[in-house]
PDB file of all heavy atoms in Angstrom:
ATOM      1  N   ILE A   1       0.878  18.042   9.573  1.00 85.00           N
ATOM      2  CA  ILE A   1       1.981  18.625   8.804  1.00 85.00           C
ATOM      3  C   ILE A   1       1.382  19.677   7.887  1.00 85.00           C
ATOM      4  O   ILE A   1       0.420  19.421   7.170  1.00 85.00           O
ATOM      5  CB  ILE A   1       2.705  17.563   7.954  1.00 85.00           C
ATOM      6  CG1 ILE A   1       3.372  16.521   8.850  1.00 85.00           C
ATOM      7  CG2 ILE A   1       3.735  18.223   7.031  1.00 85.00           C
ATOM      8  CD1 ILE A   1       3.986  15.363   8.094  1.00 85.00           C
ATOM      9  N   THR A   2       1.956  20.863   7.918  1.00 83.00           N
ATOM     10  CA  THR A   2       1.564  21.929   7.006  1.00 83.00           C
ATOM     11  C   THR A   2       2.821  22.369   6.275  1.00 83.00           C
ATOM     12  O   THR A   2       3.830  22.662   6.913  1.00 83.00           O
ATOM     13  CB  THR A   2       0.959  23.117   7.771  1.00 83.00           C
ATOM     14  OG1 THR A   2      -0.170  22.665   8.513  1.00 83.00           O
ATOM     15  CG2 THR A   2       0.535  24.226   6.825  1.00 83.00           C
ATOM     16  N   SER A   3       2.776  22.379   4.963  1.00 83.00           N
ATOM     17  CA  SER A   3       3.975  22.692   4.200  1.00 83.00           C
ATOM     18  C   SER A   3       3.608  23.288   2.849  1.00 83.00           C
ATOM     19  O   SER A   3       2.594  22.918   2.265  1.00 83.00           O
ATOM     20  CB  SER A   3       4.787  21.407   3.993  1.00 83.00           C
ATOM     21  OG  SER A   3       6.020  21.676   3.406  1.00 83.00           O
ATOM     22  N   GLN A   4       4.433  24.215   2.371  1.00 83.00           N
ATOM     23  CA  GLN A   4       4.264  24.725   1.015  1.00 83.00           C
ATOM     24  C   GLN A   4       5.122  23.860   0.101  1.00 83.00           C
ATOM     25  O   GLN A   4       6.318  23.690   0.347  1.00 83.00           O
ATOM     26  CB  GLN A   4       4.698  26.183   0.929  1.00 83.00           C
ATOM     27  CG  GLN A   4       3.781  27.119   1.670  1.00 83.00           C
ATOM     28  CD  GLN A   4       4.176  28.568   1.486  1.00 83.00           C
ATOM     29  OE1 GLN A   4       5.151  28.895   0.823  1.00 83.00           O
ATOM     30  NE2 GLN A   4       3.387  29.454   2.074  1.00 83.00           N
ATOM     31  N   LEU A   5       4.502  23.316  -0.925  1.00 86.00           N
ATOM     32  CA  LEU A   5       5.184  22.373  -1.802  1.00 86.00           C
ATOM     33  C   LEU A   5       5.082  22.809  -3.252  1.00 86.00           C
ATOM     34  O   LEU A   5       4.108  23.438  -3.663  1.00 86.00           O
ATOM     35  CB  LEU A   5       4.545  20.986  -1.665  1.00 86.00           C
ATOM     36  CG  LEU A   5       4.500  20.399  -0.263  1.00 86.00           C
ATOM     37  CD1 LEU A   5       3.591  19.174  -0.239  1.00 86.00           C
ATOM     38  CD2 LEU A   5       5.897  20.046   0.204  1.00 86.00           C
ATOM     39  N   SER A   6       6.073  22.434  -4.022  1.00 87.00           N
ATOM     40  CA  SER A   6       6.002  22.620  -5.469  1.00 87.00           C
ATOM     41  C   SER A   6       5.137  21.507  -6.040  1.00 87.00           C
ATOM     42  O   SER A   6       4.904  20.485  -5.392  1.00 87.00           O
ATOM     43  CB  SER A   6       7.407  22.530  -6.074  1.00 87.00           C
ATOM     44  OG  SER A   6       8.243  23.534  -5.540  1.00 87.00           O
ATOM     45  N   ALA A   7       4.676  21.704  -7.263  1.00 86.00           N
ATOM     46  CA  ALA A   7       3.892  20.655  -7.921  1.00 86.00           C
ATOM     47  C   ALA A   7       4.730  19.392  -7.992  1.00 86.00           C
ATOM     48  O   ALA A   7       5.946  19.442  -8.195  1.00 86.00           O
ATOM     49  CB  ALA A   7       3.492  21.107  -9.316  1.00 86.00           C
ATOM     50  N   GLY A   8       4.107  18.246  -7.797  1.00 89.00           N
ATOM     51  CA  GLY A   8       4.840  16.995  -7.856  1.00 89.00           C
ATOM     52  C   GLY A   8       4.092  15.874  -7.175  1.00 89.00           C
ATOM     53  O   GLY A   8       2.925  16.010  -6.814  1.00 89.00           O
ATOM     54  N   THR A   9       4.779  14.770  -6.963  1.00 92.00           N
ATOM     55  CA  THR A   9       4.223  13.593  -6.316  1.00 92.00           C
ATOM     56  C   THR A   9       4.792  13.490  -4.906  1.00 92.00           C
ATOM     57  O   THR A   9       6.013  13.599  -4.728  1.00 92.00           O
ATOM     58  CB  THR A   9       4.579  12.319  -7.104  1.00 92.00           C
ATOM     59  OG1 THR A   9       4.040  12.438  -8.428  1.00 92.00           O
ATOM     60  CG2 THR A   9       4.025  11.068  -6.430  1.00 92.00           C
ATOM     61  N   TYR A  10       3.914  13.289  -3.944  1.00 93.00           N
ATOM     62  CA  TYR A  10       4.316  13.172  -2.542  1.00 93.00           C
ATOM     63  C   TYR A  10       3.609  11.980  -1.925  1.00 93.00           C
ATOM     64  O   TYR A  10       2.562  11.547  -2.382  1.00 93.00           O
ATOM     65  CB  TYR A  10       3.958  14.450  -1.780  1.00 93.00           C
ATOM     66  CG  TYR A  10       4.684  15.654  -2.323  1.00 93.00           C
ATOM     67  CD1 TYR A  10       4.105  16.442  -3.319  1.00 93.00           C
ATOM     68  CD2 TYR A  10       5.949  15.983  -1.864  1.00 93.00           C
ATOM     69  CE1 TYR A  10       4.783  17.534  -3.838  1.00 93.00           C
ATOM     70  CE2 TYR A  10       6.630  17.074  -2.375  1.00 93.00           C
ATOM     71  CZ  TYR A  10       6.045  17.854  -3.364  1.00 93.00           C
ATOM     72  OH  TYR A  10       6.718  18.920  -3.884  1.00 93.00           O
ATOM     73  N   TYR A  11       4.194  11.459  -0.864  1.00 93.00           N
ATOM     74  CA  TYR A  11       3.635  10.315  -0.155  1.00 93.00           C
ATOM     75  C   TYR A  11       3.511  10.654   1.326  1.00 93.00           C
ATOM     76  O   TYR A  11       4.302  11.438   1.856  1.00 93.00           O
ATOM     77  CB  TYR A  11       4.529   9.086  -0.319  1.00 93.00           C
ATOM     78  CG  TYR A  11       4.744   8.703  -1.761  1.00 93.00           C
ATOM     79  CD1 TYR A  11       5.851   9.145  -2.460  1.00 93.00           C
ATOM     80  CD2 TYR A  11       3.805   7.919  -2.426  1.00 93.00           C
ATOM     81  CE1 TYR A  11       6.038   8.812  -3.793  1.00 93.00           C
ATOM     82  CE2 TYR A  11       3.981   7.582  -3.751  1.00 93.00           C
ATOM     83  CZ  TYR A  11       5.107   8.034  -4.433  1.00 93.00           C
ATOM     84  OH  TYR A  11       5.269   7.700  -5.748  1.00 93.00           O
ATOM     85  N   ILE A  12       2.535  10.044   1.983  1.00 91.00           N
ATOM     86  CA  ILE A  12       2.356  10.195   3.420  1.00 91.00           C
ATOM     87  C   ILE A  12       2.571   8.834   4.054  1.00 91.00           C
ATOM     88  O   ILE A  12       1.988   7.839   3.620  1.00 91.00           O
ATOM     89  CB  ILE A  12       0.950  10.719   3.747  1.00 91.00           C
ATOM     90  CG1 ILE A  12       0.764  12.089   3.119  1.00 91.00           C
ATOM     91  CG2 ILE A  12       0.735  10.758   5.260  1.00 91.00           C
ATOM     92  CD1 ILE A  12      -0.643  12.596   3.157  1.00 91.00           C
ATOM     93  N   ARG A  13       3.417   8.805   5.057  1.00 91.00           N
ATOM     94  CA  ARG A  13       3.709   7.562   5.769  1.00 91.00           C
ATOM     95  C   ARG A  13       3.203   7.707   7.199  1.00 91.00           C
ATOM     96  O   ARG A  13       3.572   8.644   7.904  1.00 91.00           O
ATOM     97  CB  ARG A  13       5.202   7.303   5.784  1.00 91.00           C
ATOM     98  CG  ARG A  13       5.581   6.064   6.572  1.00 91.00           C
ATOM     99  CD  ARG A  13       7.082   5.836   6.542  1.00 91.00           C
ATOM    100  NE  ARG A  13       7.410   4.694   7.383  1.00 91.00           N
ATOM    101  CZ  ARG A  13       8.399   4.688   8.257  1.00 91.00           C
ATOM    102  NH1 ARG A  13       9.164   5.739   8.398  1.00 91.00           N
ATOM    103  NH2 ARG A  13       8.619   3.621   8.991  1.00 91.00           N
ATOM    104  N   VAL A  14       2.338   6.798   7.616  1.00 89.00           N
ATOM    105  CA  VAL A  14       1.866   6.734   8.995  1.00 89.00           C
ATOM    106  C   VAL A  14       2.488   5.484   9.598  1.00 89.00           C
ATOM    107  O   VAL A  14       2.366   4.400   9.033  1.00 89.00           O
ATOM    108  CB  VAL A  14       0.323   6.654   9.069  1.00 89.00           C
ATOM    109  CG1 VAL A  14      -0.142   6.551  10.514  1.00 89.00           C
ATOM    110  CG2 VAL A  14      -0.310   7.853   8.372  1.00 89.00           C
ATOM    111  N   TYR A  15       3.174   5.643  10.708  1.00 85.00           N
ATOM    112  CA  TYR A  15       3.820   4.484  11.314  1.00 85.00           C
ATOM    113  C   TYR A  15       3.637   4.500  12.824  1.00 85.00           C
ATOM    114  O   TYR A  15       3.554   5.564  13.433  1.00 85.00           O
ATOM    115  CB  TYR A  15       5.297   4.412  10.926  1.00 85.00           C
ATOM    116  CG  TYR A  15       6.102   5.623  11.341  1.00 85.00           C
ATOM    117  CD1 TYR A  15       6.874   5.599  12.496  1.00 85.00           C
ATOM    118  CD2 TYR A  15       6.092   6.784  10.591  1.00 85.00           C
ATOM    119  CE1 TYR A  15       7.599   6.706  12.882  1.00 85.00           C
ATOM    120  CE2 TYR A  15       6.815   7.893  10.970  1.00 85.00           C
ATOM    121  CZ  TYR A  15       7.572   7.847  12.116  1.00 85.00           C
ATOM    122  OH  TYR A  15       8.285   8.953  12.495  1.00 85.00           O
ATOM    123  N   PRO A  16       3.546   3.322  13.441  1.00 83.00           N
ATOM    124  CA  PRO A  16       3.278   3.245  14.873  1.00 83.00           C
ATOM    125  C   PRO A  16       4.470   3.707  15.698  1.00 83.00           C
ATOM    126  O   PRO A  16       5.618   3.455  15.334  1.00 83.00           O
ATOM    127  CB  PRO A  16       2.997   1.769  15.112  1.00 83.00           C
ATOM    128  CG  PRO A  16       3.726   1.066  14.021  1.00 83.00           C
ATOM    129  CD  PRO A  16       3.686   2.004  12.840  1.00 83.00           C
ATOM    130  N   TYR A  17       4.167   4.413  16.774  1.00 74.00           N
ATOM    131  CA  TYR A  17       5.192   4.759  17.747  1.00 74.00           C
ATOM    132  C   TYR A  17       5.254   3.653  18.796  1.00 74.00           C
ATOM    133  O   TYR A  17       6.314   3.175  19.133  1.00 74.00           O
ATOM    134  CB  TYR A  17       4.892   6.109  18.388  1.00 74.00           C
ATOM    135  CG  TYR A  17       5.899   6.509  19.426  1.00 74.00           C
ATOM    136  CD1 TYR A  17       7.165   6.935  19.039  1.00 74.00           C
ATOM    137  CD2 TYR A  17       5.612   6.447  20.776  1.00 74.00           C
ATOM    138  CE1 TYR A  17       8.117   7.280  19.978  1.00 74.00           C
ATOM    139  CE2 TYR A  17       6.551   6.796  21.724  1.00 74.00           C
ATOM    140  CZ  TYR A  17       7.805   7.216  21.324  1.00 74.00           C
ATOM    141  OH  TYR A  17       8.735   7.556  22.248  1.00 74.00           O
ATOM    142  N   THR A  18       4.087   3.272  19.272  1.00 72.00           N
ATOM    143  CA  THR A  18       3.984   2.134  20.189  1.00 72.00           C
ATOM    144  C   THR A  18       2.714   1.374  19.860  1.00 72.00           C
ATOM    145  O   THR A  18       1.677   1.959  19.598  1.00 72.00           O
ATOM    146  CB  THR A  18       3.887   2.589  21.666  1.00 72.00           C
ATOM    147  OG1 THR A  18       2.777   3.460  21.808  1.00 72.00           O
ATOM    148  CG2 THR A  18       5.144   3.291  22.117  1.00 72.00           C
ATOM    149  N   GLY A  19       2.777   0.062  19.841  1.00 75.00           N
ATOM    150  CA  GLY A  19       1.599  -0.761  19.632  1.00 75.00           C
ATOM    151  C   GLY A  19       0.972  -0.574  18.268  1.00 75.00           C
ATOM    152  O   GLY A  19       1.525   0.050  17.375  1.00 75.00           O
ATOM    153  N   ASP A  20      -0.216  -1.141  18.137  1.00 79.00           N
ATOM    154  CA  ASP A  20      -1.002  -1.016  16.915  1.00 79.00           C
ATOM    155  C   ASP A  20      -2.148  -0.055  17.194  1.00 79.00           C
ATOM    156  O   ASP A  20      -2.664   0.002  18.307  1.00 79.00           O
ATOM    157  CB  ASP A  20      -1.582  -2.369  16.494  1.00 79.00           C
ATOM    158  CG  ASP A  20      -0.496  -3.338  16.053  1.00 79.00           C
ATOM    159  OD1 ASP A  20       0.531  -2.869  15.528  1.00 79.00           O
ATOM    160  OD2 ASP A  20      -0.679  -4.544  16.234  1.00 79.00           O
ATOM    161  N   THR A  21      -2.562   0.676  16.189  1.00 79.00           N
ATOM    162  CA  THR A  21      -3.685   1.589  16.365  1.00 79.00           C
ATOM    163  C   THR A  21      -4.409   1.803  15.054  1.00 79.00           C
ATOM    164  O   THR A  21      -3.814   1.737  13.983  1.00 79.00           O
ATOM    165  CB  THR A  21      -3.210   2.944  16.935  1.00 79.00           C
ATOM    166  OG1 THR A  21      -4.335   3.743  17.260  1.00 79.00           O
ATOM    167  CG2 THR A  21      -2.347   3.709  15.938  1.00 79.00           C
ATOM    168  N   ASN A  22      -5.696   2.041  15.147  1.00 82.00           N
ATOM    169  CA  ASN A  22      -6.475   2.486  13.994  1.00 82.00           C
ATOM    170  C   ASN A  22      -6.343   3.996  13.923  1.00 82.00           C
ATOM    171  O   ASN A  22      -6.143   4.662  14.936  1.00 82.00           O
ATOM    172  CB  ASN A  22      -7.946   2.101  14.156  1.00 82.00           C
ATOM    173  CG  ASN A  22      -8.146   0.608  14.139  1.00 82.00           C
ATOM    174  OD1 ASN A  22      -7.463  -0.112  13.424  1.00 82.00           O
ATOM    175  ND2 ASN A  22      -9.086   0.129  14.937  1.00 82.00           N
ATOM    176  N   TYR A  23      -6.469   4.556  12.742  1.00 83.00           N
ATOM    177  CA  TYR A  23      -6.380   6.004  12.599  1.00 83.00           C
ATOM    178  C   TYR A  23      -7.211   6.455  11.414  1.00 83.00           C
ATOM    179  O   TYR A  23      -7.531   5.676  10.521  1.00 83.00           O
ATOM    180  CB  TYR A  23      -4.924   6.461  12.423  1.00 83.00           C
ATOM    181  CG  TYR A  23      -4.240   5.885  11.201  1.00 83.00           C
ATOM    182  CD1 TYR A  23      -4.326   6.527   9.966  1.00 83.00           C
ATOM    183  CD2 TYR A  23      -3.519   4.701  11.273  1.00 83.00           C
ATOM    184  CE1 TYR A  23      -3.723   5.998   8.850  1.00 83.00           C
ATOM    185  CE2 TYR A  23      -2.900   4.163  10.160  1.00 83.00           C
ATOM    186  CZ  TYR A  23      -3.002   4.824   8.954  1.00 83.00           C
ATOM    187  OH  TYR A  23      -2.394   4.305   7.843  1.00 83.00           O
ATOM    188  N   ASN A  24      -7.560   7.729  11.429  1.00 84.00           N
ATOM    189  CA  ASN A  24      -8.225   8.378  10.299  1.00 84.00           C
ATOM    190  C   ASN A  24      -7.219   9.337   9.689  1.00 84.00           C
ATOM    191  O   ASN A  24      -6.552  10.078  10.407  1.00 84.00           O
ATOM    192  CB  ASN A  24      -9.460   9.162  10.759  1.00 84.00           C
ATOM    193  CG  ASN A  24     -10.542   8.256  11.273  1.00 84.00           C
ATOM    194  OD1 ASN A  24     -10.819   7.218  10.681  1.00 84.00           O
ATOM    195  ND2 ASN A  24     -11.142   8.620  12.384  1.00 84.00           N
ATOM    196  N   LEU A  25      -7.119   9.323   8.376  1.00 85.00           N
ATOM    197  CA  LEU A  25      -6.181  10.177   7.668  1.00 85.00           C
ATOM    198  C   LEU A  25      -6.957  11.146   6.792  1.00 85.00           C
ATOM    199  O   LEU A  25      -7.793  10.725   5.991  1.00 85.00           O
ATOM    200  CB  LEU A  25      -5.245   9.321   6.802  1.00 85.00           C
ATOM    201  CG  LEU A  25      -4.209  10.063   5.969  1.00 85.00           C
ATOM    202  CD1 LEU A  25      -3.224  10.779   6.881  1.00 85.00           C
ATOM    203  CD2 LEU A  25      -3.486   9.094   5.052  1.00 85.00           C
ATOM    204  N   ALA A  26      -6.689  12.421   6.961  1.00 87.00           N
ATOM    205  CA  ALA A  26      -7.311  13.451   6.129  1.00 87.00           C
ATOM    206  C   ALA A  26      -6.187  14.247   5.463  1.00 87.00           C
ATOM    207  O   ALA A  26      -5.237  14.662   6.130  1.00 87.00           O
ATOM    208  CB  ALA A  26      -8.187  14.367   6.960  1.00 87.00           C
ATOM    209  N   VAL A  27      -6.292  14.435   4.161  1.00 87.00           N
ATOM    210  CA  VAL A  27      -5.286  15.165   3.400  1.00 87.00           C
ATOM    211  C   VAL A  27      -5.989  16.228   2.581  1.00 87.00           C
ATOM    212  O   VAL A  27      -7.041  15.973   1.983  1.00 87.00           O
ATOM    213  CB  VAL A  27      -4.516  14.211   2.453  1.00 87.00           C
ATOM    214  CG1 VAL A  27      -3.502  14.974   1.632  1.00 87.00           C
ATOM    215  CG2 VAL A  27      -3.859  13.094   3.238  1.00 87.00           C
ATOM    216  N   SER A  28      -5.426  17.425   2.556  1.00 85.00           N
ATOM    217  CA  SER A  28      -6.000  18.467   1.712  1.00 85.00           C
ATOM    218  C   SER A  28      -4.880  19.243   1.038  1.00 85.00           C
ATOM    219  O   SER A  28      -3.760  19.300   1.545  1.00 85.00           O
ATOM    220  CB  SER A  28      -6.885  19.411   2.530  1.00 85.00           C
ATOM    221  OG  SER A  28      -6.107  20.102   3.483  1.00 85.00           O
ATOM    222  N   ALA A  29      -5.196  19.801  -0.105  1.00 83.00           N
ATOM    223  CA  ALA A  29      -4.231  20.600  -0.848  1.00 83.00           C
ATOM    224  C   ALA A  29      -4.973  21.730  -1.549  1.00 83.00           C
ATOM    225  O   ALA A  29      -6.121  21.577  -1.951  1.00 83.00           O
ATOM    226  CB  ALA A  29      -3.515  19.741  -1.883  1.00 83.00           C
ATOM    227  N   THR A  30      -4.315  22.835  -1.635  1.00 83.00           N
ATOM    228  CA  THR A  30      -4.867  23.971  -2.369  1.00 83.00           C
ATOM    229  C   THR A  30      -3.790  24.492  -3.309  1.00 83.00           C
ATOM    230  O   THR A  30      -2.598  24.304  -3.071  1.00 83.00           O
ATOM    231  CB  THR A  30      -5.308  25.112  -1.432  1.00 83.00           C
ATOM    232  OG1 THR A  30      -4.181  25.547  -0.664  1.00 83.00           O
ATOM    233  CG2 THR A  30      -6.397  24.668  -0.509  1.00 83.00           C
ATOM    234  N   THR A  31      -4.209  25.124  -4.377  1.00 81.00           N
ATOM    235  CA  THR A  31      -3.258  25.737  -5.285  1.00 81.00           C
ATOM    236  C   THR A  31      -3.222  27.235  -5.014  1.00 81.00           C
ATOM    237  O   THR A  31      -4.236  27.833  -4.617  1.00 81.00           O
ATOM    238  CB  THR A  31      -3.637  25.483  -6.749  1.00 81.00           C
ATOM    239  OG1 THR A  31      -4.939  25.992  -6.986  1.00 81.00           O
ATOM    240  CG2 THR A  31      -3.596  24.004  -7.075  1.00 81.00           C
ATOM    241  N   ALA A  32      -2.089  27.804  -5.230  1.00 76.00           N
ATOM    242  CA  ALA A  32      -1.940  29.239  -5.013  1.00 76.00           C
ATOM    243  C   ALA A  32      -1.502  29.886  -6.326  1.00 76.00           C
ATOM    244  O   ALA A  32      -0.651  29.355  -7.041  1.00 76.00           O
ATOM    245  CB  ALA A  32      -0.901  29.508  -3.931  1.00 76.00           C
ATOM    246  N   THR A  33      -2.085  31.004  -6.622  1.00 73.00           N
ATOM    247  CA  THR A  33      -1.683  31.766  -7.786  1.00 73.00           C
ATOM    248  C   THR A  33      -0.761  32.883  -7.307  1.00 73.00           C
ATOM    249  O   THR A  33      -1.147  33.684  -6.453  1.00 73.00           O
ATOM    250  CB  THR A  33      -2.896  32.373  -8.510  1.00 73.00           C
ATOM    251  OG1 THR A  33      -3.764  31.304  -8.885  1.00 73.00           O
ATOM    252  CG2 THR A  33      -2.466  33.159  -9.733  1.00 73.00           C
ATOM    253  N   VAL A  34       0.439  32.892  -7.804  1.00 70.00           N
ATOM    254  CA  VAL A  34       1.418  33.890  -7.394  1.00 70.00           C
ATOM    255  C   VAL A  34       1.482  34.956  -8.471  1.00 70.00           C
ATOM    256  O   VAL A  34       1.731  34.670  -9.636  1.00 70.00           O
ATOM    257  CB  VAL A  34       2.801  33.249  -7.195  1.00 70.00           C
ATOM    258  CG1 VAL A  34       3.819  34.297  -6.816  1.00 70.00           C
ATOM    259  CG2 VAL A  34       2.726  32.155  -6.142  1.00 70.00           C
ATOM    260  N   THR A  35       1.232  36.182  -8.067  1.00 74.00           N
ATOM    261  CA  THR A  35       1.327  37.317  -8.986  1.00 74.00           C
ATOM    262  C   THR A  35       2.647  37.996  -8.729  1.00 74.00           C
ATOM    263  O   THR A  35       2.893  38.483  -7.622  1.00 74.00           O
ATOM    264  CB  THR A  35       0.171  38.302  -8.758  1.00 74.00           C
ATOM    265  OG1 THR A  35      -1.063  37.598  -8.894  1.00 74.00           O
ATOM    266  CG2 THR A  35       0.226  39.441  -9.746  1.00 74.00           C
ATOM    267  N   PRO A  36       3.528  38.017  -9.716  1.00 76.00           N
ATOM    268  CA  PRO A  36       4.839  38.649  -9.502  1.00 76.00           C
ATOM    269  C   PRO A  36       4.676  40.120  -9.140  1.00 76.00           C
ATOM    270  O   PRO A  36       3.858  40.838  -9.709  1.00 76.00           O
ATOM    271  CB  PRO A  36       5.541  38.502 -10.844  1.00 76.00           C
ATOM    272  CG  PRO A  36       4.784  37.473 -11.602  1.00 76.00           C
ATOM    273  CD  PRO A  36       3.381  37.499 -11.061  1.00 76.00           C
ATOM    274  N   GLY A  37       5.427  40.567  -8.168  1.00 72.00           N
ATOM    275  CA  GLY A  37       5.411  41.973  -7.771  1.00 72.00           C
ATOM    276  C   GLY A  37       6.440  42.750  -8.566  1.00 72.00           C
ATOM    277  O   GLY A  37       7.151  42.196  -9.397  1.00 72.00           O
ATOM    278  N   TYR A  38       6.519  44.011  -8.296  1.00 62.00           N
ATOM    279  CA  TYR A  38       7.519  44.829  -8.989  1.00 62.00           C
ATOM    280  C   TYR A  38       8.075  45.838  -7.997  1.00 62.00           C
ATOM    281  O   TYR A  38       7.450  46.157  -6.988  1.00 62.00           O
ATOM    282  CB  TYR A  38       6.917  45.539 -10.208  1.00 62.00           C
ATOM    283  CG  TYR A  38       5.851  46.538  -9.861  1.00 62.00           C
ATOM    284  CD1 TYR A  38       6.194  47.893  -9.651  1.00 62.00           C
ATOM    285  CD2 TYR A  38       4.525  46.166  -9.720  1.00 62.00           C
ATOM    286  CE1 TYR A  38       5.200  48.804  -9.313  1.00 62.00           C
ATOM    287  CE2 TYR A  38       3.548  47.069  -9.387  1.00 62.00           C
ATOM    288  CZ  TYR A  38       3.904  48.399  -9.186  1.00 62.00           C
ATOM    289  OH  TYR A  38       2.941  49.318  -8.853  1.00 62.00           O
TER     290      TYR A  38
END
């Protein structure tokens, strides 16, 4: 999932489609500085 988000609290839900499985979860976030244009 790639999404632009406002500052806040978010959760990630991983759920099985079929059966049980082990998984690795990697999450990253970056901040962006927005310079108003004219």
Side-chain angles (χ1 to χ4, degrees):
I1 296 174
T2 302
S3 187
Q4 291 184 359
L5 304 168
S6 299
T9 300
Y10 298 92
Y11 302 95
I12 298 169
R13 177 179 176 226
V14 178
Y15 59 99
Y17 179 74
T18 57
D20 292 329
T21 188
N22 294 324
Y23 60 88
N24 293 317
L25 179 65
V27 178
S28 64
T30 59
T31 58
T33 302
V34 178
T35 304
Y38 64 92

